[in-house]
Amino acid sequence: MVYITSLCFSKLQRLVTGSGIFGVILFFTGCGGSSVEVVKTPAPAPQEDTPVTYSGPVAATSDVTQFKLELWDNISSPQRCGACHVQDNQSPEFARNDDINLAYNAASQLVNFGTPEDSTLVTKVATGHNCWLSSDAACGEILATWIGNWGAIENTVNDIQLEAPIAKDPGANKNFPDSSLLFEDNVYPLLQTYCANCHTGSATIPISPYFASSDIDEAYAASKARISLDTPENSRFVARIRDEFHNCWSDCASNANDLINGIQDMADAIELTELDEQLINSKALTLFDGTLASGGGRFENNVIAKWEFKTGSGTTAFDTSGVEPAIDLTLNGDASWIGGWGIQLTNGKAQGSTTNSKKLHNLITATGEFSIEAWVVPANVSQEGPARIISYSGGANTRNFTLGQTLYNYDFLLRTDKTNVNGQPALSTADAAEVLQASLQHVVVNYDSVNGRQIFVNGRFTGDTDATEVGNFADWNDTYAFVLGNEVSGDIPWAGSIRMVAIHNRTLSAEQVAQNFDVGIGQKFFLLFEVSEITQTPQSYIVIEVSQFDSYSYLFSEPFFYTLDDSVSIPDIPLQGIRIGVNGREANVGQVFQNIDTLLTQSDYVPAKGQLLSSLGTIIPIEKGASTDEFFLTFEVLAEQTNVVVEADPPAPAVAIDLATQAEIGIRNFAEINASMSAVTSVPMDNSSVKDSFEQLKQQLPSVTNMDSFLASNQMAVTQLAIKYCDQLVETTSLRDGYFSDFNFDQSAVTAFTVQGRSAVLLPLTSNILNSGLSDQPNNADVINELDNLITRLTDCSGDKVCDATYTKTVVKAVCAAALGSAVITLQ
């Protein structure tokens, strides 16, 4: 074996090795049918957590004190480990409350500070022993965090130990057909009959995955990962019924056999896929045959809340930061889990309680600074609002902070004593930079009293400067709720995927941001595809970093050549055309490595790093599921072997479809309207009053230029913005005197609006606002006549109407707004 010591090729992280597995508590409750409960180690009845007050001997050392603060205080309550593992009860007595030193001695035998996740305490709870949450994995993650805090472990990038996997040739496989017909005839009837109360999007409480959906294609896609065509009895559907007693509709064993028979009938109708003998192929691996390459290296010293979405099912996303109280999020609306850790949001949200969200208020206001860190995948670049990605708020117009999206921009709204209750003005990334893309991105927003707000995307500072004066959090509201993917009021949704969120109550430095970006996200593996027999080089491999990208695909990235034998001298080995194979055949998409054409040489091989073959990545569809899909590589040329590949002719292009006739005119979008109003009135866009109004109205202004999309609400926003511009034009003396140079604003309306006075108002407006030289435009005289009639109606000062000099300004503002808010400005 050898050790990788560089991040150059694959952002390597520490290898997580397994440890012993302990007794399991099985507690599975059905949904929509009968349930069976099996309890091997009884746990105390669920109830509110009761802190334990310690009054025994003082801690003998500083390490015992650290143990008490970071671990014992969190596990000693009767609702956790303190119900059993105390003095005179159950050994080991690591939660005893009579002597903290003795509890320390017992706990020290159960922890692993090098890899806290391998601690006996963690593996015991993570496999089902007395977890205080509905997710054993979440309990394990939280315990690992507490143990790490006790050991004061600094998160640094650790070496990865690559070991030779078991060599096996690609086998013959049964693969799912493109058509869902066999599934629909054999398996789907059972799922739809007995699972539709929960596993459909239309259920009262929808539970992902939707394998019982009324949409057969959706059901088929969700079921593939839970069906084993090669060994039907090992299907996840079967194990859920037979072994875990989940939602048996009569007798569990009989119900499991019904499913086995249905899957077997489906599998019998599918032919085996045999490996093509002409291929030059590597040995085969499944995803979990690889070396685990995720979990270490993140800087998290000041994390106060964290969601990694590892549960993968149910309606709760757990806060696994280990900082109490945990802000566990409830998924509502169109929100579902995705494979490889994450949630997908369309018109839903994941929201915490106001009580637990108060933790953010208390811990952030205490330091006066914080960071929001997230891995996100925006669904598109057309969302506005700004659409709420992460928010700690009380509604659409009140918040403590928000990370949002407006088209290609990230927006950071933050409430301080220098901004309004809605956190405006916002700090946004530059329009021209278009840093937000519909792809996986690492986003960090910082705030402190020195630098103000900062935005980092994919490890780099965007360079956007916060023009707002730094302030404090004295005005923060502690009754708001933390929410992902929407506003707490549910009316400003964001569409996309969230893979991880962490809140730090200190800012991350630029180096720490880059470090966390380099670590990456999700459960990743290094797959070592052996090619020793072909290259005649001992223990030689093509290594690729592979992760489950989402519920439908794998990400293969950065292949490199590597040998586990340090003593080997590498001869010149030609290599061309790498392709990825899945389940006995080459994948029909994603073959980005087929253009590799290189020579493996001793001079290009770097010890402990290997020889990089490509810096690219590619997406390969999931077929059977992460635990079942079998991968291998094929080569056009490797060493002395050659397989000539003739690419199939591309399909003929589809016949062009005639589009509906488009309007010859369009509507200016929100940015263009704002810029146009500024240009024709001479009022700067950064005028504080105008800028605030624009930020509030932006989501109501037109976002696209299509005439068919223009609504009455858009026109209302245009009118309101026009009024604000005209108000600032008239109320700012320098602007007013320059624009209406011949008009006397100190006279009453009756005196001011003579023929000459009207011309002094109308001519500057029409000459600045109306276009010139266009083939189709409003007639200048007609516009002046219409505005003149408006002045006549407004200056009818009969009765008790007060028409003083103040009213004169009001009339000019009204006439200005009528012209500025018209189609002259809005039409494109």
Side-chain angles (χ1 to χ4, degrees):
M1 66 181 69
V2 297
Y3 291 84
I4 302 292
T5 58
S6 171
L7 295 180
C8 177
F9 293 162
S10 305
K11 310 178 185 73
L12 306 181
Q13 303 159 49
R14 71 167 174 260
L15 171 67
V16 179
T17 56
S19 58
I21 303 299
F22 298 86
V24 180
I25 301 172
L26 297 176
F27 180 73
F28 298 97
T29 303
C31 141
S34 62
S35 63
V36 176
E37 180 180 312
V38 177
V39 180
K40 292 185 178 179
T41 306
Q47 52 188 300
E48 286 193 17
D49 198 46
T50 306
V52 175
T53 301
Y54 176 73
S55 59
V58 298
T61 67
S62 60
D63 192 38
V64 177
T65 300
Q66 186 80 352
F67 157 72
K68 179 184 182 300
L69 294 174
E70 301 296 348
L71 182 61
W72 188 90
D73 284 352
N74 289 311
I75 64 174
S76 59
S77 70
Q79 291 74 38
R80 296 182 182 174
C81 305
C84 300
H85 294 280
V86 294
Q87 62 275 16
D88 304 322
N89 195 347
Q90 183 173 323
S91 180
E93 299 173 348
F94 55 86
R96 62 187 303 156
N97 52 48
D98 62 331
D99 191 331
I100 194 65
N101 300 288
L102 296 179
Y104 167 84
N105 293 340
S108 296
Q109 308 304 311
L110 306 171
V111 298
N112 182 337
F113 289 138
T115 53
E117 61 270 26
D118 293 332
S119 300
T120 301
L121 279 177
V122 175
T123 56
K124 187 78 170 176
V125 170
T127 51
H129 178 79
N130 198 27
C131 173
W132 58 93
L133 301 173
S134 60
S135 167
D136 296 338
C139 283
E141 292 167 34
I142 293 170
L143 263 176
T145 298
W146 289 334
I147 293 170
N149 293 341
W150 167 18
I153 296 171
E154 181 180 355
N155 285 312
T156 56
V157 179
N158 295 283
D159 295 343
I160 293 222
Q161 177 183 329
L162 294 181
E163 295 185 354
I166 298 175
K168 56 185 177 182
D169 293 319
N173 289 268
K174 287 182 178 286
N175 289 291
F176 287 100
D178 294 334
S179 170
S180 61
L181 185 60
L182 289 173
F183 169 75
E184 186 175 6
D185 290 343
N186 296 286
V187 182
Y188 182 60
L190 288 171
L191 301 178
Q192 192 175 48
T193 300
Y194 300 111
C195 305
N197 284 346
C198 295
H199 292 284
T200 62
S202 58
T204 303
I205 302 178
I207 296 179
S208 177
Y210 301 142
F211 51 74
S213 171
S214 57
D215 182 338
I216 185 62
D217 292 329
E218 180 181 34
Y220 186 40
S223 297
K224 289 179 181 178
R226 292 157 182 83
I227 293 175
S228 172
L229 295 174
D230 300 304
T231 54
E233 64 275 12
N234 293 336
S235 299
R236 179 59 182 156
F237 281 141
V238 175
R240 197 79 166 107
I241 297 292
R242 180 192 58 207
D243 304 329
E244 301 175 5
F245 318 111
H246 176 79
N247 195 32
C248 307
W249 51 91
S250 57
D251 176 71
C252 288
S254 175
N255 300 157
N257 284 331
D258 290 342
L259 277 168
I260 291 173
N261 292 335
I263 295 171
Q264 186 67 62
D265 290 342
M266 177 180 176
D268 289 344
I270 299 173
E271 294 183 0
L272 278 174
T273 300
E274 300 281 357
L275 188 66
D276 186 346
E277 295 181 355
Q278 300 297 317
L279 295 176
I280 306 170
N281 60 273
S282 71
K283 298 298 184 179
L285 300 165
T286 64
L287 185 65
F288 299 111
D289 289 331
T291 297
L292 185 63
S294 57
R298 283 180 46 78
F299 181 86
E300 294 188 334
N301 289 6
N302 303 300
V303 166
I304 59 173
K306 182 171 69 172
W307 301 265
E308 294 182 285
F309 311 109
K310 294 182 179 181
T311 308
S313 62
T315 58
T316 303
F318 293 98
D319 172 4
T320 57
S321 64
V323 179
E324 300 286 357
I327 311 175
D328 297 333
L329 308 178
T330 300
L331 276 60
N332 292 297
D334 197 350
S336 58
W337 298 92
I338 57 176
W341 306 343
I343 55 173
Q344 179 84 36
L345 298 152
T346 303
N347 191 18
K349 61 180 178 177
Q351 183 172 323
S353 69
T354 56
T355 301
N356 292 347
S357 297
K358 187 177 179 181
K359 170 176 73 171
L360 300 179
H361 172 278
N362 294 344
L363 297 180
I364 292 174
T365 57
T367 62
E369 61 181 85
F370 71 105
S371 287
I372 305 170
E373 178 188 11
W375 282 90
V376 299
V377 187
N380 54 63
V381 291
S382 60
Q383 302 183 69
E384 294 189 84
R388 311 300 203 245
I389 303 173
I390 301 169
S391 196
Y392 179 26
S393 56
N397 299 307
T398 56
R399 70 200 61 263
N400 291 333
F401 64 70
T402 289
L403 171 65
Q405 173 186 352
T406 301
L407 304 180
Y408 288 93
N409 301 335
Y410 286 107
D411 305 297
F412 184 12
L413 286 74
L414 175 65
R415 182 176 182 175
T416 71
D417 62 330
K418 304 301 182 183
T419 61
N420 65 19
V421 296
N422 202 28
Q424 292 175 328
L427 173 66
S428 301
T429 54
D431 293 340
E434 296 187 349
V435 297
L436 184 148
Q437 295 291 325
S439 60
L440 179 63
Q441 294 190 308
H442 180 245
V443 185
V444 174
V445 293
N446 274 348
Y447 179 80
D448 63 33
S449 59
V450 176
N451 300 299
R453 291 173 292 188
Q454 294 180 311
I455 302 176
F456 296 78
V457 178
N458 290 344
R460 295 185 177 184
F461 176 47
T462 62
D464 299 288
T465 303
D466 190 359
T468 303
E469 184 181 356
V470 296
N472 59 53
F473 302 147
D475 295 331
W476 269 31
N477 191 313
D478 64 4
T479 66
Y480 290 165
F482 184 81
V483 62
L484 304 179
N486 210 324
E487 192 50 80
V488 293
S489 48
D491 53 354
I492 311 180
W494 175 80
S497 302
I498 301 179
R499 305 293 300 276
M500 189 280 290
V501 174
I503 308 296
H504 311 248
N505 71 336
R506 294 287 184 185
T507 56
L508 293 174
S509 68
E511 294 75 18
Q512 291 159 356
V513 171
Q515 175 182 329
N516 287 2
F517 170 66
D518 286 339
V519 168
I521 190 64
Q523 191 176 27
K524 299 180 291 185
F525 297 85
F526 289 109
L527 298 192
L528 282 72
F529 296 97
E530 186 172 4
V531 291
S532 303
E533 294 178 4
I534 305 172
T535 63
Q536 296 300 301
T537 302
Q539 293 187 283
S540 58
Y541 300 86
I542 303 297
V543 184
I544 305 182
E545 182 184 288
V546 184
S547 61
Q548 185 175 342
F549 184 70
D550 56 25
S551 297
Y552 310 101
S553 60
Y554 303 102
L555 174 62
F556 283 67
S557 60
E558 299 180 331
F560 59 97
F561 174 75
Y562 200 81
T563 175
L564 294 177
D565 189 342
D566 290 334
S567 64
V568 168
S569 179
I570 299 168
D572 290 353
I573 303 173
L575 186 156
Q576 295 177 16
I578 298 179
R579 288 176 173 80
I580 300 168
V582 185
N583 300 328
R585 60 189 177 187
E586 291 179 341
N588 55 13
V589 295
Q591 299 294 5
V592 70
F593 305 131
Q594 67 183 6
N595 296 320
I596 289 176
D597 185 352
T598 190
L599 187 68
L600 306 177
T601 66
Q602 182 66 39
S603 60
D604 290 328
Y605 185 88
V606 180
K609 294 182 181 180
Q611 181 175 340
L612 183 66
L613 304 177
S614 173
S615 59
L616 300 178
T618 188
I619 296 294
I620 298 295
I622 290 176
E623 293 188 359
K624 299 180 179 181
S627 61
T628 308
D629 282 333
E630 183 182 73
F631 309 109
F632 61 95
L633 302 179
T634 68
F635 309 89
E636 292 183 36
V637 175
L638 183 57
E640 297 180 358
Q641 297 191 33
T642 301
N643 177 41
V644 178
V645 177
V646 179
E647 298 290 348
D649 293 332
V655 178
I657 300 174
D658 290 334
L659 299 176
T661 303
Q662 301 292 306
E664 294 182 358
I665 57 175
I667 295 292
R668 286 187 170 99
N669 66 27
F670 63 95
E672 293 168 331
I673 290 172
N674 188 40
S676 297
M677 288 185 176
S678 175
V680 301
T681 62
S682 73
V683 177
M685 285 188 288
D686 61 0
N687 175 287
S688 59
S689 182
V690 164
K691 188 175 181 181
D692 287 346
S693 293
F694 176 66
E695 290 296 334
Q696 293 174 5
L697 294 168
K698 185 164 62 173
Q699 64 188 16
Q700 192 179 335
L701 290 167
S703 59
V704 295
T705 58
N706 188 343
M707 173 66 78
D708 295 337
S709 68
F710 191 74
L711 304 173
S713 59
N714 298 141
Q715 181 58 56
M716 181 60 69
V718 170
T719 302
Q720 289 177 279
L721 188 60
I723 291 172
K724 182 58 66 175
Y725 267 102
C726 291
D727 175 75
Q728 291 301 296
L729 172 59
V730 173
E731 294 296 341
T732 305
T733 303
S734 59
L735 295 177
R736 179 183 70 206
D737 291 346
Y739 202 90
F740 302 106
S741 57
D742 296 327
F743 185 77
N744 189 345
F745 282 91
D746 295 327
Q747 295 178 330
S748 69
V750 176
T751 306
F753 290 104
T754 61
V755 173
Q756 293 81 4
R758 293 183 183 218
S759 294
V761 171
L762 297 177
L763 289 178
L765 283 174
T766 54
S767 62
N768 281 288
I769 294 176
L770 293 180
N771 291 304
S772 61
L774 299 182
S775 59
D776 186 9
Q777 64 185 44
N779 181 275
N780 197 47
D782 291 342
V783 173
I784 289 176
N785 184 61
E786 189 67 31
L787 295 177
D788 186 66
N789 290 337
L790 175 61
I791 292 175
T792 300
R793 292 193 297 272
L794 292 175
T795 56
D796 179 5
C797 296
S798 58
D800 297 331
K801 189 173 182 180
V802 177
C803 291
D804 56 11
T806 300
Y807 185 66
T808 298
K809 292 182 181 179
T810 302
V811 173
V812 175
K813 293 176 186 178
V815 175
C816 170
L820 193 61
S822 70
V824 172
I825 293 295
T826 56
L827 283 185
Q828 181 98 283

